[in-house]
Amino acid sequence: MKFELYQIDAFTDKTFSGNPACIVPLNEWLPDEILLEITRENAVAETAFFIDKGDKIHLRWFTPETEMDLCGHATLATAHCLKTILNYPKDTIVFETRSGELTVIAKGDSYVMNFPSRMPIPSELPENIKQSLNILPTEILKSRDYVLVYDSEEQIKNIKIDRAKFDEINLDPGGVIVTAKGNTSDFVSRFFTPQASILEDPVTGSAHCSLIPFWASRLEKNELIAEQVSKRTGKLECQDKGDRVLISGKAKTYSAGHFWID
């Protein structure tokens, strides 16, 4: 069987930055183990598989280890693939996902994603995570992911993870966000996933489901500019809408091709 495969860098307008995702259109669902095998072969943080149902797009996201409940950068990449490569006729794309219906609106070369809000609440930090960090946070919160708040952007950039300790905890499907006020943006962040083949995710849209309501409340503003300060970096335009958040970004196609399965 022959399948199409696209690799797209999300939350950037430049190749070799942002977060790479692989996109695979399907006519019908393959067994989950095959979807996982494809994702492992692609060797990126997330592969998105979708089936065009006409009025809606059925979308699923996989890491090399598991199916995810929500993924921002692969959703943005899928919207970019649909609009710029596959000639999808509508500017409003409705995705049917494990997190309910997600709407993405294409506006020029940007994509506005409407995602659920996940305000984090105060929490305790597991000892394994605490021991894995070279710099300890000033605040600890949690929603799906742990949200660790720091005093400065410089601290975020200088955080190092002791992977042996970090991998002792299983947060499936969540991870650990570290965040602080930004120097030239409203806030910055990084995202780490224990027991994952890729420890640090370059740009994590789903993490901003918690970061946006937190920083909107903390900074008393509903429109924010965010930067994920990984090595690849990424820019996100954010809006707090109460029980929803809007996350906007650009994307760049890296490659297009095919693969075969016996």
Side-chain angles (χ1 to χ4, degrees):
M1 292 185 290
K2 181 180 178 181
F3 298 89
E4 297 173 10
L5 174 67
Y6 306 97
Q7 184 165 322
I8 293 169
D9 294 334
F11 295 116
T12 184
D13 58 1
K14 299 177 181 178
T15 306
F16 306 127
S17 60
N19 200 351
C22 286
I23 313 301
V24 179
L26 297 173
N27 293 320
E28 59 184 22
W29 291 113
L30 301 171
D32 287 3
E33 185 53 41
I34 298 297
L35 299 179
L36 281 167
E37 290 288 359
I38 295 169
T39 303
R40 295 183 189 114
E41 192 76 10
N42 291 339
V44 296
E46 304 269 356
T47 294
F49 301 88
F50 74 85
I51 295 175
D52 186 348
K53 293 186 171 182
D55 58 335
K56 297 179 184 178
I57 307 289
H58 192 182
L59 177 64
R60 297 171 71 185
W61 314 276
F62 285 80
T63 72
E65 293 79 29
T66 189
E67 182 174 7
M68 292 296 292
D69 66 328
L70 184 63
C71 178
H73 84 277
T75 301
L76 191 157
T78 303
H80 180 77
C81 177
L82 285 163
K83 289 298 297 180
T84 65
I85 301 173
L86 302 178
N87 300 315
Y88 191 75
K90 302 176 184 177
D91 288 334
T92 298
I93 305 170
V94 180
F95 290 110
E96 180 184 331
T97 79
R98 289 181 64 184
S99 289
E101 286 191 1
L102 304 177
T103 301
V104 180
I105 299 176
K107 290 188 174 182
D109 60 353
S110 292
Y111 302 89
V112 183
M113 301 186 294
N114 187 320
F115 274 20
S117 177
R118 294 172 167 173
M119 174 64 91
I121 60 175
S123 180
E124 298 291 329
L125 190 62
E127 191 64 25
N128 292 358
I129 296 178
K130 183 177 181 180
Q131 292 180 8
S132 73
L133 297 166
N134 65 324
I135 306 172
L136 293 180
T138 57
E139 293 182 66
I140 302 156
L141 306 102
K142 191 178 187 303
S143 53
R144 182 194 71 174
D145 311 302
Y146 281 95
V147 179
L148 311 185
V149 184
Y150 287 80
D151 291 329
S152 70
E153 180 174 324
E154 288 69 31
Q155 285 185 317
I156 299 302
K157 291 179 176 178
N158 289 328
I159 285 173
K160 296 179 181 178
I161 300 290
D162 180 337
R163 181 142 200 192
K165 289 289 184 184
F166 194 63
D167 282 349
E168 290 176 3
I169 192 165
N170 184 357
L171 300 178
D172 184 36
V176 176
I177 307 165
V178 296
T179 187
K181 288 181 64 175
N183 295 334
T184 58
S185 57
D186 289 300
F187 65 90
V188 297
S189 67
R190 292 170 70 190
F191 187 91
F192 304 95
T193 307
Q195 301 184 12
S197 56
I198 299 174
L199 171 64
E200 181 171 3
D201 194 42
V203 194
T204 316
S206 62
H208 288 74
C209 294
S210 295
L211 289 168
I212 293 170
F214 172 78
W215 284 112
S217 175
R218 183 62 55 93
L219 300 176
E220 298 183 338
K221 57 190 301 188
N222 292 329
E223 296 187 6
L224 307 106
I225 301 297
E227 184 178 7
Q228 197 152 330
V229 289
S230 64
K231 288 183 179 180
R232 291 177 63 100
T233 73
K235 301 273 188 179
L236 308 91
E237 297 179 10
C238 310
Q239 291 186 54
D240 182 65
K241 292 288 188 179
D243 62 347
R244 308 290 293 181
V245 296
L246 301 183
I247 307 169
S248 303
K250 299 180 179 181
K252 185 78 171 179
T253 300
Y254 174 70
S255 66
H258 298 88
F259 67 93
W260 288 260
I261 298 177
D262 294 337

